[in-house]
Amino acid sequence: MNTALSAMGRRTAPPPISWLMQTALSRPKLISLAAGFTDNATLPVKISRQMLDQVLRSAKTGRPALQYGITAGETNLRQLTARHLQELDLGGTPGRRPLIQGQRHAVPPEIHPWEHLMITGGSQQLLYLTMEALCDEGDLVLVEDPTYFVFLSILQSRGLHARGVRLERDGLDLTHLEIVLQRLKHSGELGRVKALYLVSYFHNPTGATTSFEKKCGILKRLKKFEGAAGHPIYLIEDAAYRELRFGRDAAPRRPRSSRRDDPTTPPSALMAPGALARVIYAGTYSKPYAPGARVGFGILPEPLFTAVQRIKGNHDFGTANLLQQLLAGALQTGLYNQHVAKIQKRYRRKAQIMRQALARHFPPDVEIWEPGGGLYFWARLPKHASTGVKSKIFRTALKNDVLYVPGGLCYADDPSRRKPDHEMRISFGNGSEENIRKGIKRLGEVLRKFL
């Protein structure tokens, strides 16, 4: 008997992260270096209780917080978020001087207009809504090679196709981007290209950060091909890890790997010329504050903002109002910034522990990409060594009770190149210091058997 499921319902595959999480939960002795969870010990319980107590102290403030809100988000939180984002763009952290060379004056408030800012149920919802509003089945999205594999699942579910652009330590390879766009133009597929997706800060999975110069270069090249495409080509900047930097003097060091000497975060693509008409900025409070709060945000140009707002109205009428009040209170009181400073130190410490363990236990022919922030290290084995879910390395690692994310999951199904299968993403986000050391030791012992 035929199924009643829609085409999307039939083709949507189970996300790889679900299987990885289930594997970790079903084996108590397993040390998971796979899931990109945040640090459990530093979740802001006290701050959240204080903010919620304040909101629910009286009916005057409590009732609005427990009622439906505005689809685009609570006005105060939208304004606070726009101001916070502007402070980040002026200097990487609130109160710092501008990072853009030659800039003498503060950016006017309208550079990040709160009227074009939408509050969502995490940045993941914004990414999904954007694809729903922008793309038809069969359309193309350009992605980094490798990229955030959950975004690839969104594309797969929506019936969209991806084309990979090589990733360098400071962002996309602009020469390769030009080549990819030219190939699509010659093949007649350029008209199906709707956007380029970028994880710009402490990249998931590699830890790389895209320079501001490259962001400008990407926008310039997309604009160059818009005439041939016949429509705008948007840049989607996913900045989920932006505030998880380690600090200028805290970049992990390791002699046999390339590292970023200056992990200070560059300005967002919103600061580039022509950005307000072409950049879709996706941010979140999940990573820097608490995933359980599940509040994200985005700045979108018209007509995309209106389209996404209407679709979101059909999804949920608006993000949970009580959670929005919680985040607004944390931002207004300065407790949010205090918490972020605390977790930056915590992740810096964990990254240093993982770096030391990698130097001690991993074979010398494994190349390590070290981050200046975020939650991940990226390991490249010699090309003959497979790390996929069916590989001997992965199966042996599981037998030894350690789990990583196979790098092949982070590459799009791009017919123009063979998908790499010799890399792995290793996360220090949720692991204890002891488990980070033990997990890397176990994984290193496995790798030495095969390398």
Side-chain angles (χ1 to χ4, degrees), residues 393-423:
I393 289 176
F394 187 82
R395 294 199 304 268
T396 306
L398 277 180
K399 288 180 182 179
N400 286 269
D401 286 322
V402 63
L403 182 67
Y404 62 86
V405 171
L409 296 178
C410 305
Y411 285 91
D413 293 327
D414 185 339
S416 68
R417 57 101 179 95
R418 184 177 179 181
K419 184 182 292 189
D421 188 38
H422 62 287
E423 298 157 315

Side-chain angles (χ1 to χ4, degrees), residues 136-153:
D136 293 311
E137 186 175 338
D139 279 346
L140 288 166
V141 177
L142 307 183
V143 299
E144 296 154 309
D145 231 7
T147 191
Y148 174 42
F149 60 84
V150 181
F151 182 74
L152 294 177
S153 294

Side-chain angles (χ1 to χ4, degrees), residues 258-275:
S258 299
R259 62 180 179 83
R260 298 180 66 244
D261 290 315
D262 183 6
T264 303
T265 55
S268 71
L270 292 167
M271 302 291 282

Side-chain angles (χ1 to χ4, degrees), residues 20-224:
L20 292 168
M21 290 170 63
Q22 180 59 38
T23 301
L25 292 172
S26 63
R27 299 176 56 168
K29 294 183 179 180
L30 181 75
I31 294 177
S32 177
L33 303 175
F37 287 6
T38 56
D39 183 69
N40 197 61
T42 53
L43 289 173
V45 175
K46 184 178 180 180
I47 294 174
S48 299
R49 182 172 61 247
Q50 180 180 340
M51 293 301 99
L52 291 175
D53 283 347
Q54 184 173 322
V55 171
L56 300 175
R57 186 172 301 164
S58 70
K60 184 179 179 180
T61 56
R63 285 172 180 162
L66 295 173
Q67 186 55 271
Y68 287 120
I70 304 168
T71 301
E74 196 265 333
T75 299
N76 187 38
L77 180 58
R78 293 166 71 193
Q79 293 173 337
L80 288 166
T81 300
R83 185 185 308 161
H84 183 71
L85 180 55
Q86 179 169 305
E87 290 174 338
L88 291 173
D89 273 336
L90 286 174
T93 185
R96 298 231 358 223
R97 299 297 296 170
L99 289 179
I100 302 177
Q101 188 175 7
Q103 181 177 328
R104 296 183 179 179
H105 304 290
V107 178
E110 62 269 16
I111 198 69
H112 301 326
W114 71 267
E115 295 89 350
H116 287 175
L117 191 147
M118 183 180 302
I119 304 298
T120 56
S123 58
Q124 188 74 17
Q125 186 190 45
L126 181 79
L127 296 175
Y128 189 92
L129 293 174
T130 299
M131 290 297 96
E132 191 170 353
L134 193 59
C135 299
D136 293 311
E137 186 175 338
D139 279 346
L140 288 166
V141 177
L142 307 183
V143 299
E144 296 154 309
D145 231 7
T147 191
Y148 174 42
F149 60 84
V150 181
F151 182 74
L152 294 177
S153 294
I154 294 176
L155 300 184
Q156 187 273 332
S157 177
R158 300 293 307 170
L160 308 177
H161 305 293
R163 293 291 183 272
V165 181
R166 280 195 296 268
L167 183 67
E168 299 176 319
R169 295 302 178 93
D170 62 344
L172 284 184
D173 182 334
L174 296 179
T175 301
H176 190 232
L177 173 59
E178 182 98 16
I179 291 171
V180 170
L181 289 167
Q182 286 285 4
R183 285 176 180 170
L184 292 170
K185 180 180 178 181
H186 292 322
S187 67
E189 299 175 279
L190 189 61
R192 293 163 53 200
V193 176
K194 294 294 183 66
L196 184 151
Y197 172 73
L198 193 71
V199 183
S200 53
Y201 297 94
F202 317 121
H203 179 259
N204 182 358
T206 70
T209 292
T210 303
S211 68
F212 181 69
E213 291 74 20
K214 284 209 167 179
K215 293 174 186 179
C216 294
I218 292 167
L219 278 170
K220 183 177 179 180
R221 282 157 180 80
L222 295 180
K223 182 69 174 177
K224 174 181 174 181

Side-chain angles (χ1 to χ4, degrees), residues 210-248:
T210 303
S211 68
F212 181 69
E213 291 74 20
K214 284 209 167 179
K215 293 174 186 179
C216 294
I218 292 167
L219 278 170
K220 183 177 179 180
R221 282 157 180 80
L222 295 180
K223 182 69 174 177
K224 174 181 174 181
F225 284 86
E226 281 189 354
H231 54 71
I233 302 177
Y234 293 96
L235 169 60
I236 304 172
E237 180 173 19
D238 185 344
Y241 302 91
R242 183 175 188 177
E243 296 187 68
L244 303 188
R245 67 189 179 283
F246 300 148
R248 181 177 294 275

Side-chain angles (χ1 to χ4, degrees), residues 296-328:
F297 57 91
I299 291 182
L300 304 96
E302 289 289 7
L304 199 55
F305 179 89
T306 296
V308 169
Q309 181 177 216
R310 290 170 179 172
I311 295 172
K312 179 174 171 57
N314 289 333
H315 275 243
D316 58 15
F317 303 133
T319 302
N321 215 1
L322 182 61
L323 297 179
Q324 293 188 63
Q325 298 293 342
L326 163 64
L327 266 301

